Amino acid sequence: MQTNLRNRDLIGDLDFSKEEVETVLDVAFDLKRKRALGEPHPYLRDKVLAMLFFFSSTRTRGSFEAGMAQLGGHAAFIESKTTQIAHGDTPKEIGEIFGRYFDGIAIRHVEWGVGNRYITEVARYSRVPVLNMQCDIYHPFQCLADLMTIIEKKGRDLRGKRLVVSWAYAASYLKPISVPQSLILQMPRFGLDITLAYPPEFGLMPDIVAQAQEEARRYGTAFDIIADPNGMEEACRGADIIYAKSWGPLLTTTDPEEGKRIQDQYRHWIMDEAKLRVAKPDAIYMHPLPADRNIEVTDGVLDGPQSVVYDQAENRLHVQKAVMALTMA
Ligand code: CP
């Protein structure tokens, strides 16, 4: 199959076919090797990426910005509050105008019911690729980095291996549901069996779950849901990969106070050593970060030998450089 990703957007996880994702991974591994060897790889010399943020970031900003510099280009950090968006610049203005200044437009907008629509509308008017740095529905670059990390730890043949995508308690804020949604959409295509576990109020978007189940059917993988107030340990039993993180009960309520009240019932959904012990002995623990330490996940798990969280964070750099080089060249 011919892969030509030039000028393509990446907004939803299934925007790229499985073969196209395989190409992204091949390029990402090559770029990781080149960086390790100190080999220059200026595939985007003189190109400029606009990075428009409506929400805070550590990893996403750092890795996109460093990635563009390593590819020979530049990334312009634009915080939405410093723009004229509040004074009338619509997604059409951003798409039309930034599309004429820049060679790519990357956007983070996680507001529930708003973010994905905003990014899609910018893409409608942009002549250059639009890249989703996380919206309310998807976090595709996190998921590509997670897939790269899983392949590094478990090999290319993932058939028969089980990924647990589990809710975990957090106290800091109601986190977006984009990470678990991206995981359940992308991972069945690469052979992983999925167990999705959450307390009953923390279900994901029904159409995303239906799409994920369809992908699992298509690729002959298992897809199980445990929606039980005490289901975390059961989900972890015998797992190869545990991806336990918090997300808000957004399908139940969008009221932050009500959401917090619901969330506070499930403090026992902490990823700890006891739950890791019931997984396979060589199981890995994943989290996109930031994590609420000793609330969402214990220090012992997060800093322990089975945790791969810093490799996940590093791989953001390599997969993003791969997608930028393939779409913006
Ligand atoms: N994982 C992730 O997207 O991190 P940031 O929110 O720090 O960008």
Side-chain angles (χ1 to χ4, degrees):
M1 181 197 156
Q2 194 183 354
T3 301
N4 184 355
L5 291 171
R6 282 209 183 83
N7 219 34
R8 291 269 296 278
D9 302 324
L10 180 55
I11 298 175
D13 297 272
L14 304 185
D15 289 358
F16 290 180
S17 69
K18 178 173 187 270
E19 289 76 11
E20 288 167 342
V21 172
E22 279 166 352
T23 299
V24 168
L25 291 169
D26 287 346
V27 173
F29 280 113
D30 183 51
L31 291 172
K32 187 168 186 173
R33 187 186 61 83
K34 284 191 163 79
R35 180 161 162 76
L37 289 169
E39 268 181 39
H41 42 276
Y43 298 124
L44 294 181
R45 194 154 42 210
D46 302 329
K47 305 266 181 176
V48 186
L49 175 74
M51 299 188 304
L52 176 59
F53 280 88
F54 290 80
F55 190 73
S56 52
S57 165
T58 302
R59 283 144 290 272
T60 303
R61 179 189 174 178
S63 52
F64 268 100
E65 195 161 331
M68 272 306 288
Q70 290 162 20
L71 291 167
H74 172 72
F77 173 67
I78 303 163
E79 215 277 319
S80 65
K81 283 198 221 74
T82 66
T83 70
Q84 298 282 32
I85 288 171
H87 299 150
D89 278 337
T90 67
K92 180 176 182 181
E93 275 81 20
I94 299 299
E96 275 286 355
I97 296 165
F98 278 10
R100 295 172 193 218
Y101 298 159
F102 297 102
D103 302 287
I105 305 172
I107 305 175
R108 167 170 279 196
H109 198 331
V110 301
E111 187 180 340
W112 181 244
V114 178
N116 185 266
R117 265 195 281 132
Y118 184 90
I119 297 172
T120 303
E121 194 67 358
V122 171
R124 190 170 155 213
Y125 292 103
S126 170
R127 64 189 67 192
V128 299
V130 170
L131 306 177
N132 179 359
M133 295 194 293
Q134 189 179 17
C135 68
D136 48 334
I137 302 177
Y138 310 108
H139 198 350
F141 288 98
Q142 181 65 54
C143 192
L144 290 173
D146 297 338
L147 179 57
M148 184 176 183
T149 309
I150 290 171
I151 289 169
E152 285 176 337
K153 306 299 175 190
K154 298 289 176 188
R156 282 257 176 190
D157 182 7
L158 297 171
R159 287 214 158 259
K161 302 227 181 296
R162 190 163 66 85
L163 166 67
V164 174
V165 178
S166 175
W167 186 83
Y169 176 66
S172 53
Y173 71 111
L174 300 183
K175 302 186 183 193
I177 62 174
S178 49
V179 168
Q181 296 202 144
S182 285
L183 289 168
I184 64 169
L185 285 171
Q186 187 71 268
M187 297 306 179
R189 307 206 290 187
F190 290 85
L192 285 168
D193 296 329
I194 306 283
T195 302
L196 175 63
Y198 50 78
E201 299 90 340
F202 290 82
L204 303 178
M205 292 168 68
D207 56 328
I208 295 288
V209 175
Q211 275 184 72
Q213 285 168 325
E214 181 52 37
E215 290 299 303
R217 263 193 296 277
R218 187 167 160 207
Y219 288 95
T221 58
F223 191 100
D224 298 302
I225 297 178
I226 299 174
D228 183 297
N230 298 302
M232 193 178 191
E233 186 168 326
E234 180 195 341
C236 292
R237 198 167 296 283
D240 295 280
I241 303 154
I242 299 176
Y243 202 123
K245 78 168 301 294
S246 192
W247 64 83
L250 295 168
L251 278 295
T252 301
T253 180
T254 53
D255 175 55
E257 279 179 22
E258 173 69 359
K260 176 97 177 80
R261 195 195 57 72
I262 294 170
Q263 189 156 280
D264 284 349
Q265 299 174 89
Y266 300 110
R267 290 171 197 271
H268 56 293
W269 284 64
I270 180 172
M271 186 62 213
D272 57 15
E273 288 82 342
K275 294 184 193 87
L276 193 54
R277 265 197 300 277
V278 301
K280 290 209 176 128
D282 63 348
I284 56 172
Y285 172 70
M286 304 184 77
H287 192 294
L289 303 178
D292 287 21
R293 278 181 176 266
N294 300 310
I295 294 172
E296 192 175 357
V297 50
T298 62
D299 282 347
V301 171
L302 198 61
D303 300 324
Q306 288 164 273
S307 170
V308 298
V309 298
Y310 297 122
D311 294 327
Q312 288 174 259
E314 174 182 339
N315 286 336
R316 292 289 302 273
L317 177 72
H318 308 303
V319 296
Q320 286 159 199
K321 285 168 67 179
V323 172
M324 291 190 290
L326 288 163
T327 60
M328 291 169 58

